Structure formats: structure tokens, C-alpha cells
Amino acid sequence: MEVEVGSFSDPEGLEGLAHLLEHMLFYASEKYPEEDEYRKYITEHGGYWNAYTRRETTIFFFDVNVDNFEEALDRFAQFFIKPLMSQDAVLRETKAVDSEYKNNLLSDGSRIYQLHKHLSSKDHPYHKFSTGSLETLETKPKAKGLDIRLELLKFYENYSANLMHLVVYGKESLDCIQGLVERMFSDIKNTDQRSFKFPSHPFSEEHLQILVKTVPIEEGDHLRISWPITPSIQFYKEGPCHYLSHLIEHEGEGSIFHIIKELGWAMYLEAGETTDSDSNEYSFFSIGIGLTDAGHEHMEDIVGLIFNYLHLLKEDGVHEWIFNELVTIKEMEFHYQDKVDPISYVINTVSTMRLFPPEEWLVGAALPSKYAPQRINMILDQLSPETVRIFWRSKKFEGSMSSAEPWYNTPYSVENVTPAVIQQWIKKAPTGKLHLPKPNIFIPKDLSLKEVHEKVTFPTVLRKSPLSQLWYKPDMLFSTPKVHIIIDFHCPLSSHSPEAVIATELFVDLLVDYLNAYAYDAQIAGLFYEIYVTSAGFQISLGGYNDKMRVLLNAILVQIVNFEVKPNRFSALTEASVKDYQNFNFRQPYSQASYYVSLILKDKNWPAAEKLEALSLLESDFFAKFVPHLLSKTFLECYVQGNIEPSEAKSVVQEIENIIFNAPNSLFKSMSPSEYLTKRVIMLENELKCYYQTEGLNQKNENSSVIQYIQVHQDDAILNIKLQLFALIASQPAFNQLRTVEQLGYMTSLYVRNDYGVLALQVVIQSTVKDPSYLDVRVDEFFKMFESKIYELSDKDFKRNVKSLIDSKLEKCNNLWDQSYFYWGEIMAGTLKFDRATSEVAALRELKKEEFIEFFDQYIKVGAPQRRTLSVQVFGGNHSAEFKKAINEADPPKTYRITDDISGFKRSRPLYSSLKGGPGRITMD
């Protein structure tokens, strides 16, 4: 449901009221008065719910198992008919909104977005602070004698049926769904409200021709150049912004990015119409650039180069062949689009209903078809020095800023940048190599489907050699001309030291960097590729139309074989990597806690501080010698699924072997089975609770966090379903008790965690109000309180929850990628349970309530004989005194304090066995 009421509608002095109302509608309704009834019902029946407040609209959504759809939809409808907003619930959710605001105080994204809004006309609603806080929703309203609950009820009157759009997606017939909607939603009042319109741009003259310097929280310089433009939604068939963004953000030779990258000035460039606008009254076109340190020194040259390119586009004129090429690509994307999950589909669709005529609701702006050079030139003319806004953020500006944005306290300064100044920058900018892209060779010509001669239910090993192993699965479900290829390079020399890990990471970063100019066209034409580091080497994943897939694959393999160190790119990417590691300090405390959990649990896992130290000492000479060393021992595990015949899949892997191993002077050599690496997890001790307590790495962050990890078992069908069933039953009550009732923190969750096949229950809380030791105690108290709920679980409720979990497991994959990643996950884990859903559903059908309760008593409840617990506690800036107290307290019985010597603790613990076989070894159940 999209309601045409958003933060722009907030009454003056009640910033965040629309956001608070969004939160409140989840609570209870006259028909379903039990607090949290809706969220509980959705979660217990395999679903997901959420909502978000935009500037002009608010969107609510959910999905749920099909058999429970009607009841869930009725609960959802009551949001818009008769919600209950108790005084107590309003107070608690006001605190939740404040917690959400405080979570974002040190988020550069939130800070810069609010600064953009701050530097706009005060009489335009774009200027508003939209999240809300205790100050705007409690303190200030109280001082004015306002009752926030009464204000909410008054504001809710804006929720009129004539301002709503609804999308309902189900397995029933359209007539049946229409009947459901008419029956459930007909009581929504139509008070004939007017939708909020503010027909002007949010910037007056003083907010244009400006250079804004600002200081970020994280390391890394960034430049954003933006202009107010006419929203292209008004000309969606003509796609002017799509044409311009295609050229401006192109990464091939002759592009802005290719030139500034070769000069060592930039790490990435993105361009286009800003997507966070839901208005057809105003819009922005932006170019964002990640700068290197050298790029920081050449900011003026980069801006000058951009305006030079815009001038080139005007001089060269609009090209019909480029527009037609984009139309061809867009038509392929639309007609061969992958099925997405229902929740994404309804959100995407409802967002088009307000902006497009009904016949275009399922298409939106996806199919530009009208060549209109005058419209493209109109938008191009709007990207002028007269209307530019330049935002430049860098820690180098620290201490020199003259102002601070009031809500996030972001330091900034503003300078005027006149067209005359821009002209000076244009004159001294490098210009010689700018040109338009060439025709795209990767646009597929053959989109035919291969004939499947033999029914193959699960992946099979099609080919084995001392160098590689090929798993193959033809597409028998999705009927799409696409293929997915994954190549795992198992390199045992990639992770034996921090130096090896960071050198492997840098090797992969440089590979991607070198391929960028050539492979960019492939990505535009519907192919994707990723190269990423794994725990034992690196992987290549390619997907998309099969017609030109081998051309791209060949280019990647040749780049690996002919790898060389380019000094300028080595320096730029090393610098970027150092900043990434330094930015670990600024991650949210819950993210830092998750890192410590992994560091403690996983064997051969190097600390970030050691990797950063190794990176800062890395020199190009050592790196150049390391790469041949890395590649000198390799085994390839390959997976091919999709629109490809077995013989072709074999020839793909044969070609990979030929390029990698059989090329003249190849660095790659085969690997003996004894060199195969396996990653393993430490086994915690029964009835022992291990603690790791540490201060957050950024004490300016007020948030603290706890993760309580309860290790249960290694992959086993019976224990899997018992653990999953408990998480299904407990997740919403945990959220309700710890977040909603006790108000411990905005971020609260309970879920199943899986590390290399070792499964656990994990509870995460992030909080500004309470320290981690207290949070940990409250988690234990929740489990104690929940004991009675488990013991009193009725047969009816038990069967209902079992059925819900079965329904979730029987859901089919939406597309080729979902299916192939599931199968590949089984291969990489070594479990090879390709029929996992079927076997676990069979086990669920046989599961008795007594067996489930026995599992809870054995593994989960506080004091259980096989409960193995790790509590990682990160103390934020609000709780430094509590940290000092905690580390000096005596350890309670049956607890163990992990000191800073995490490696020593790991060496003292036994390891779970690895489920993964070595090269060429297949272990199927």
C-alpha cells in the first residue's frame, strides 16, 4: 500500500510525525487489539513485513506463506481502517524513532543527505528534518502543550482512500483477489483529501553555484556534482536522463571515468537522475566520484573535465544509434527479466501507480521508445555552471569548517563558484582523450533456448581432472536464454598469513580494475561478472545471456594469465584498501561485534588490525613476486547452470584449463590433495558461557551492542529443523519483548546463524540506553521467560508453526540465480544436500512436540546441559564507565572471559570437522 502522505506533510514543529505514524500502524487495530498481532502473525507464518516513509508517500508491505495470505491481508487492511494508538505505545515508539535517528548520527549517508536538504529554501518542505527524534516528537510538543497522540490521530485523517494505491499478489485468481480486496478494504474512509504538491524546485539562487566542503566520519574523499532538472518522469517514453547517464557514467575508453582513473584521481564514478525523489515536480541529476588522495588535489580539473564532456555532448549532438542501442538493451531486460520475489514485485509496482497511466503500471519507465533529441538537449542544457551544486567531502577539511548542520552536527562551509570560475577550471582540465563510446559488441544476437535431452534434477559432476572438477545443471525450470558460471580458484597460498590475505585481496581488486574499461559494455548488455576473495582463494562468477558469455570469460582468464603490476593502479588501490580497513573503526557497534564473533569462531581468521599493518607495509616488488607464488598451486572447482548443453559446458572448462594451465609460461600448477585448505569452526564448551568485552573502536558513537551466540550443532537434518522452528517461534516475541516492551534498542533480532555448516542461534541488540552487560542479562531473562511459552505450546500452535516452516521450505526458487547459488552453496560447504528442502520437510512432518521441547531443554534454555554460549559485548561512548567496571568484575560460575589473546583462546579449543572434501573428491549422502 502506498499512501500519498509523507514527511513533506509533517506539521510545522512536528518533524518526523509521518515517520512516527508509519511505526504506529503496526501496533494494533480495533479488530485485532492484541499488541503486535500483525507482526507476530506475519513472522510466525514465514513472512516479512516493513514500511518506509518517503517525502511525498509512505509505503507499507508484507509477504506471507500462501495459505495464510487472507488472514494476513485482513490484519494489514486494518491499518487503514481503525488502528489503535494507545498512549503507552505512542511513547514507546517515539523512543524507537529516536533510537533510529541516533543509530544514523554517525552515518555519512544520512549526514550528507540532511546537509543537501539543509542547504535549500527554508520555505520548501525538502528542507525539513524527516526522521524525527525525542526533541521533535516529545520535548518540543510538550513545551507547546501538545499531546503527540492527539496530533497523530489528527494527522492520520490525511490517510484517505483517494490517496492510496494497493498492489496484491497471490496464487488465487484475479476475481478471487479482487473479491478479497473489496471485502477487506472497502471500509477505508474516503475523505477526499488532496495530495501534497509543492510545484517548485527546492533551491533559490543562494543555493546554486556553490561549493560545499564537509568533513565525513569515515576515511575517503568524495565529490558530488548535482543540478536541479525537469523530472524525466514527465517524458518517460523519451528517456532523456537514461541517455545522458549512459554516456556520462560510461567507463570505457574515452569516458570521463577512464581518463581520471588512468590519471590516478578516482576509484569510481556514478551518474544519473537521483532515485530517492518520489516527486514529479522536481528532480536532480548528479555525478558522484570516489576520489583518491591525488584526486583530492585535482578536484578543479575533474569538475572542468566533466563540463568539457558535457560540452562535447552538445557539440557532437544526440546520436540516434546510441538511443536505439539503449532501447534494444532495455527491451531485452524487460522481456527476459528474471522473476523477483513477490515483496519486491509489489513494491516496484505500487511505486509506478501514482506516476504512470494504468496501462503502464507494469512497465513504468522501463521501455523508452521515442527518439526525441530536443528533450535530451533540454536536460543537457540544464546541466550548466549557472545551476551547479558541488559537494566535496574529505577529512582533510577537519578544523577549517565554519558551520554545522543542526540535526547531525555535520561541519561544513560554503563558497560561491561562478560560471567564470568554472570556465577557468575547464581551460586547465585535461581534454585530449574524451570521445563517445563505440557500438557495444556484447549485445546478444542469439536468444534461442537449448533443447534439454535428459532430465537432470540436481547438479552432477560432468568432468574431472587433476586440475579441475565441473558440476553441471541444465535449466529445466526458468526457460531463459541465460547461463551462470562460477569458477572457484582454490589457492592454498592465499591465506597462510595476513600478508598473503591482503595481497590476494589486492590482486583481485586490480584484476577487476584492469578489466573495467573492456567489460563495462558487457555489464550494460545484460552480462554480469564478479571476482571476489574467498577463505581459500578467489572466485569468478559470471551470469547473463549465454550468447556472448564466453567472450567475457575468455577476456577475464587472459587478464589473469597476463597479470602485471601497474604502479599507478597499485598505489591507488592500496590507498583505497587502507581506507577501507581504517573505516572498520567507524562501523556500527553491532557490525564490530559480528566481526569479533567470526574472529573468535573461525580457524585461520586473521585480525583486521594485523591485515591493516601488513597492507601499510606492502610494496609493489613484494606484491609482484607474490602473485606468481599465489597462482603456483591451484585447483578449479567449476559450476555451470542454465541455457547450455553438456558438451558446451565441458568445452568451457577445457578452455579454462587450456588458458590457465596449458598456456606457454603459465604460472598455474596443479595442487596435491594434501594441500587442500578447509576452514573450520571452534567448538565451544557445554554449560560454559564465554565472554568477550571490548570498547567500540569509535567512542564518538554512543551505541553499544551485544551478540549472544548459542552454538548448537553441525549440519544435521533433524537438528536443523528443530533450531529453525525455535527461531521461527521465538523471533517475533524476542523483538517484541526486547525492543518494543523494554525499549532496549532500535536494532533487535533473533535468527539462525551458519558458519561452514555449524549452526547456532544468535541474538543481536544495539542500544544507546543500556550497556552490553545489561543487554546480555536481558537476553538471558528473555530465554528464561520464554521457557513457559515453549512448555505451554498447544498442539494446535505447534502444528501451525511446523506447517509454516514447511510452507517456507517448499517455496520454489524465483530465478536461475537463486537456484544456482543454493546448489553452489551446498558444493562449497561440502554438504551436497541438493534435496535439502525435501529431506527437511520430511523430517518436519515426523517431528513431535515432545522432541522439540526436549531439543529446547538440551541446547537452548539457560542452564541446558549442551548450551554453548559466546557473548560478545562492544561498549560504546555512552558506556565507557560501565566497561571499566565490567572488565574488573569477578567472573561468575560457569563463565570464561576471553582476553585480547583471541588466538590463544582458539588454540585451546577443539575444532568441528570439515564437511568439505579435497580436489576431485565427491562425498554425496
Side-chain angles (χ1 to χ4, degrees), residues 734-752:
F735 178 90
N736 185 55
Q737 179 63 34
L738 300 170
R739 179 197 182 274
T740 307
V741 176
E742 298 188 33
Q743 287 288 304
L744 295 179
Y746 176 70
M747 296 190 63
T748 304
S749 56
L750 177 153
Y751 54 91
V752 174

PDB file of all heavy atoms in Angstrom, residues 734-752:
ATOM      1  N   ALA A 734      10.900 -12.205  20.791  1.00  0.00           N
ATOM      2  CA  ALA A 734      12.154 -11.577  21.221  1.00  0.00           C
ATOM      3  C   ALA A 734      12.179 -10.115  20.804  1.00  0.00           C
ATOM      4  O   ALA A 734      12.530  -9.226  21.583  1.00  0.00           O
ATOM      5  CB  ALA A 734      13.354 -12.314  20.631  1.00  0.00           C
ATOM      6  N   PHE A 735      11.787  -9.853  19.561  1.00  0.00           N
ATOM      7  CA  PHE A 735      11.727  -8.481  19.057  1.00  0.00           C
ATOM      8  C   PHE A 735      10.752  -7.657  19.900  1.00  0.00           C
ATOM      9  O   PHE A 735      11.054  -6.535  20.323  1.00  0.00           O
ATOM     10  CB  PHE A 735      11.288  -8.492  17.590  1.00  0.00           C
ATOM     11  CG  PHE A 735      11.142  -7.134  16.964  1.00  0.00           C
ATOM     12  CD1 PHE A 735      12.215  -6.523  16.333  1.00  0.00           C
ATOM     13  CD2 PHE A 735       9.925  -6.457  16.998  1.00  0.00           C
ATOM     14  CE1 PHE A 735      12.088  -5.268  15.754  1.00  0.00           C
ATOM     15  CE2 PHE A 735       9.792  -5.205  16.428  1.00  0.00           C
ATOM     16  CZ  PHE A 735      10.867  -4.621  15.797  1.00  0.00           C
ATOM     17  N   ASN A 736       9.583  -8.234  20.155  1.00  0.00           N
ATOM     18  CA  ASN A 736       8.553  -7.502  20.891  1.00  0.00           C
ATOM     19  C   ASN A 736       9.004  -7.197  22.328  1.00  0.00           C
ATOM     20  O   ASN A 736       8.866  -6.075  22.815  1.00  0.00           O
ATOM     21  CB  ASN A 736       7.257  -8.306  20.911  1.00  0.00           C
ATOM     22  CG  ASN A 736       6.119  -7.534  21.549  1.00  0.00           C
ATOM     23  OD1 ASN A 736       5.806  -6.419  21.145  1.00  0.00           O
ATOM     24  ND2 ASN A 736       5.516  -8.106  22.575  1.00  0.00           N
ATOM     25  N   GLN A 737       9.591  -8.204  23.004  1.00  0.00           N
ATOM     26  CA  GLN A 737       9.974  -8.019  24.399  1.00  0.00           C
ATOM     27  C   GLN A 737      11.171  -7.077  24.538  1.00  0.00           C
ATOM     28  O   GLN A 737      11.153  -6.132  25.331  1.00  0.00           O
ATOM     29  CB  GLN A 737      10.301  -9.374  25.040  1.00  0.00           C
ATOM     30  CG  GLN A 737      10.735  -9.299  26.495  1.00  0.00           C
ATOM     31  CD  GLN A 737       9.646  -8.753  27.405  1.00  0.00           C
ATOM     32  OE1 GLN A 737       8.463  -8.987  27.168  1.00  0.00           O
ATOM     33  NE2 GLN A 737      10.036  -8.026  28.436  1.00  0.00           N
ATOM     34  N   LEU A 738      12.210  -7.322  23.748  1.00  0.00           N
ATOM     35  CA  LEU A 738      13.466  -6.604  23.935  1.00  0.00           C
ATOM     36  C   LEU A 738      13.444  -5.214  23.301  1.00  0.00           C
ATOM     37  O   LEU A 738      14.012  -4.271  23.849  1.00  0.00           O
ATOM     38  CB  LEU A 738      14.631  -7.422  23.370  1.00  0.00           C
ATOM     39  CG  LEU A 738      14.820  -8.800  24.029  1.00  0.00           C
ATOM     40  CD1 LEU A 738      15.840  -9.628  23.248  1.00  0.00           C
ATOM     41  CD2 LEU A 738      15.248  -8.656  25.483  1.00  0.00           C
ATOM     42  N   ARG A 739      12.777  -5.086  22.168  1.00  0.00           N
ATOM     43  CA  ARG A 739      12.739  -3.780  21.501  1.00  0.00           C
ATOM     44  C   ARG A 739      11.491  -2.994  21.872  1.00  0.00           C
ATOM     45  O   ARG A 739      11.565  -1.851  22.331  1.00  0.00           O
ATOM     46  CB  ARG A 739      12.781  -3.940  19.988  1.00  0.00           C
ATOM     47  CG  ARG A 739      12.718  -2.616  19.231  1.00  0.00           C
ATOM     48  CD  ARG A 739      12.341  -2.885  17.771  1.00  0.00           C
ATOM     49  NE  ARG A 739      12.309  -1.693  16.949  1.00  0.00           N
ATOM     50  CZ  ARG A 739      11.256  -0.892  16.838  1.00  0.00           C
ATOM     51  NH1 ARG A 739      10.167  -1.114  17.560  1.00  0.00           N
ATOM     52  NH2 ARG A 739      11.288   0.141  16.017  1.00  0.00           N
ATOM     53  N   THR A 740      10.299  -3.614  21.698  1.00  0.00           N
ATOM     54  CA  THR A 740       9.056  -2.858  21.850  1.00  0.00           C
ATOM     55  C   THR A 740       8.718  -2.605  23.321  1.00  0.00           C
ATOM     56  O   THR A 740       8.426  -1.476  23.710  1.00  0.00           O
ATOM     57  CB  THR A 740       7.902  -3.599  21.156  1.00  0.00           C
ATOM     58  OG1 THR A 740       8.283  -3.882  19.802  1.00  0.00           O
ATOM     59  CG2 THR A 740       6.642  -2.766  21.157  1.00  0.00           C
ATOM     60  N   VAL A 741       8.766  -3.662  24.147  1.00  0.00           N
ATOM     61  CA  VAL A 741       8.363  -3.523  25.554  1.00  0.00           C
ATOM     62  C   VAL A 741       9.476  -2.884  26.385  1.00  0.00           C
ATOM     63  O   VAL A 741       9.277  -1.878  27.060  1.00  0.00           O
ATOM     64  CB  VAL A 741       7.947  -4.888  26.145  1.00  0.00           C
ATOM     65  CG1 VAL A 741       7.617  -4.748  27.630  1.00  0.00           C
ATOM     66  CG2 VAL A 741       6.748  -5.456  25.387  1.00  0.00           C
ATOM     67  N   GLU A 742      10.687  -3.479  26.329  1.00  0.00           N
ATOM     68  CA  GLU A 742      11.783  -2.983  27.170  1.00  0.00           C
ATOM     69  C   GLU A 742      12.532  -1.804  26.547  1.00  0.00           C
ATOM     70  O   GLU A 742      13.329  -1.157  27.224  1.00  0.00           O
ATOM     71  CB  GLU A 742      12.760  -4.122  27.487  1.00  0.00           C
ATOM     72  CG  GLU A 742      12.117  -5.264  28.275  1.00  0.00           C
ATOM     73  CD  GLU A 742      13.139  -6.290  28.744  1.00  0.00           C
ATOM     74  OE1 GLU A 742      14.294  -5.907  29.038  1.00  0.00           O
ATOM     75  OE2 GLU A 742      12.788  -7.480  28.811  1.00  0.00           O
ATOM     76  N   GLN A 743      12.291  -1.551  25.245  1.00  0.00           N
ATOM     77  CA  GLN A 743      12.901  -0.402  24.566  1.00  0.00           C
ATOM     78  C   GLN A 743      14.431  -0.386  24.705  1.00  0.00           C
ATOM     79  O   GLN A 743      15.045   0.645  24.968  1.00  0.00           O
ATOM     80  CB  GLN A 743      12.318   0.902  25.117  1.00  0.00           C
ATOM     81  CG  GLN A 743      10.895   1.162  24.671  1.00  0.00           C
ATOM     82  CD  GLN A 743      10.796   1.545  23.201  1.00  0.00           C
ATOM     83  OE1 GLN A 743      11.416   2.490  22.738  1.00  0.00           O
ATOM     84  NE2 GLN A 743      10.024   0.782  22.452  1.00  0.00           N
ATOM     85  N   LEU A 744      15.037  -1.574  24.502  1.00  0.00           N
ATOM     86  CA  LEU A 744      16.493  -1.660  24.686  1.00  0.00           C
ATOM     87  C   LEU A 744      17.255  -1.094  23.499  1.00  0.00           C
ATOM     88  O   LEU A 744      18.398  -0.653  23.653  1.00  0.00           O
ATOM     89  CB  LEU A 744      16.894  -3.124  24.923  1.00  0.00           C
ATOM     90  CG  LEU A 744      16.358  -3.740  26.222  1.00  0.00           C
ATOM     91  CD1 LEU A 744      16.787  -5.191  26.330  1.00  0.00           C
ATOM     92  CD2 LEU A 744      16.828  -2.948  27.440  1.00  0.00           C
ATOM     93  N   GLY A 745      16.646  -1.129  22.331  1.00  0.00           N
ATOM     94  CA  GLY A 745      17.358  -0.591  21.173  1.00  0.00           C
ATOM     95  C   GLY A 745      16.574  -0.799  19.903  1.00  0.00           C
ATOM     96  O   GLY A 745      15.804  -1.762  19.772  1.00  0.00           O
ATOM     97  N   TYR A 746      16.764   0.110  18.942  1.00  0.00           N
ATOM     98  CA  TYR A 746      16.044   0.034  17.662  1.00  0.00           C
ATOM     99  C   TYR A 746      16.395  -1.249  16.912  1.00  0.00           C
ATOM    100  O   TYR A 746      15.551  -1.884  16.296  1.00  0.00           O
ATOM    101  CB  TYR A 746      16.397   1.259  16.820  1.00  0.00           C
ATOM    102  CG  TYR A 746      15.792   1.243  15.445  1.00  0.00           C
ATOM    103  CD1 TYR A 746      14.424   1.406  15.277  1.00  0.00           C
ATOM    104  CD2 TYR A 746      16.578   1.067  14.310  1.00  0.00           C
ATOM    105  CE1 TYR A 746      13.853   1.383  14.007  1.00  0.00           C
ATOM    106  CE2 TYR A 746      16.028   1.055  13.048  1.00  0.00           C
ATOM    107  CZ  TYR A 746      14.655   1.216  12.902  1.00  0.00           C
ATOM    108  OH  TYR A 746      14.097   1.191  11.642  1.00  0.00           O
ATOM    109  N   MET A 747      17.690  -1.637  16.961  1.00  0.00           N
ATOM    110  CA  MET A 747      18.122  -2.849  16.256  1.00  0.00           C
ATOM    111  C   MET A 747      18.078  -4.029  17.201  1.00  0.00           C
ATOM    112  O   MET A 747      18.869  -4.112  18.146  1.00  0.00           O
ATOM    113  CB  MET A 747      19.542  -2.664  15.708  1.00  0.00           C
ATOM    114  CG  MET A 747      19.643  -1.587  14.662  1.00  0.00           C
ATOM    115  SD  MET A 747      21.245  -1.615  13.863  1.00  0.00           S
ATOM    116  CE  MET A 747      21.200  -3.216  13.099  1.00  0.00           C
ATOM    117  N   THR A 748      17.142  -4.946  16.964  1.00  0.00           N
ATOM    118  CA  THR A 748      16.989  -6.143  17.795  1.00  0.00           C
ATOM    119  C   THR A 748      16.565  -7.288  16.896  1.00  0.00           C
ATOM    120  O   THR A 748      15.612  -7.144  16.130  1.00  0.00           O
ATOM    121  CB  THR A 748      15.913  -5.925  18.876  1.00  0.00           C
ATOM    122  OG1 THR A 748      16.246  -4.776  19.651  1.00  0.00           O
ATOM    123  CG2 THR A 748      15.796  -7.125  19.787  1.00  0.00           C
ATOM    124  N   SER A 749      17.256  -8.418  16.963  1.00  0.00           N
ATOM    125  CA  SER A 749      16.875  -9.551  16.113  1.00  0.00           C
ATOM    126  C   SER A 749      17.353 -10.864  16.712  1.00  0.00           C
ATOM    127  O   SER A 749      18.319 -10.911  17.475  1.00  0.00           O
ATOM    128  CB  SER A 749      17.444  -9.380  14.695  1.00  0.00           C
ATOM    129  OG  SER A 749      18.846  -9.224  14.730  1.00  0.00           O
ATOM    130  N   LEU A 750      16.634 -11.928  16.354  1.00  0.00           N
ATOM    131  CA  LEU A 750      16.995 -13.302  16.736  1.00  0.00           C
ATOM    132  C   LEU A 750      16.885 -14.146  15.472  1.00  0.00           C
ATOM    133  O   LEU A 750      15.863 -14.103  14.785  1.00  0.00           O
ATOM    134  CB  LEU A 750      16.040 -13.809  17.821  1.00  0.00           C
ATOM    135  CG  LEU A 750      16.201 -15.251  18.320  1.00  0.00           C
ATOM    136  CD1 LEU A 750      15.679 -15.375  19.756  1.00  0.00           C
ATOM    137  CD2 LEU A 750      15.475 -16.272  17.443  1.00  0.00           C
ATOM    138  N   TYR A 751      17.930 -14.908  15.160  1.00  0.00           N
ATOM    139  CA  TYR A 751      17.913 -15.694  13.926  1.00  0.00           C
ATOM    140  C   TYR A 751      18.939 -16.820  13.993  1.00  0.00           C
ATOM    141  O   TYR A 751      19.781 -16.873  14.900  1.00  0.00           O
ATOM    142  CB  TYR A 751      18.193 -14.809  12.706  1.00  0.00           C
ATOM    143  CG  TYR A 751      19.459 -13.990  12.794  1.00  0.00           C
ATOM    144  CD1 TYR A 751      20.668 -14.479  12.304  1.00  0.00           C
ATOM    145  CD2 TYR A 751      19.450 -12.714  13.360  1.00  0.00           C
ATOM    146  CE1 TYR A 751      21.833 -13.732  12.381  1.00  0.00           C
ATOM    147  CE2 TYR A 751      20.604 -11.955  13.427  1.00  0.00           C
ATOM    148  CZ  TYR A 751      21.788 -12.468  12.939  1.00  0.00           C
ATOM    149  OH  TYR A 751      22.936 -11.725  13.013  1.00  0.00           O
ATOM    150  N   VAL A 752      18.872 -17.721  13.005  1.00  0.00           N
ATOM    151  CA  VAL A 752      19.818 -18.833  12.901  1.00  0.00           C
ATOM    152  C   VAL A 752      21.048 -18.359  12.142  1.00  0.00           C
ATOM    153  O   VAL A 752      20.945 -17.683  11.119  1.00  0.00           O
ATOM    154  CB  VAL A 752      19.177 -20.034  12.173  1.00  0.00           C
ATOM    155  CG1 VAL A 752      20.216 -21.134  11.937  1.00  0.00           C
ATOM    156  CG2 VAL A 752      18.004 -20.586  12.980  1.00  0.00           C
TER     157      VAL A 752
END
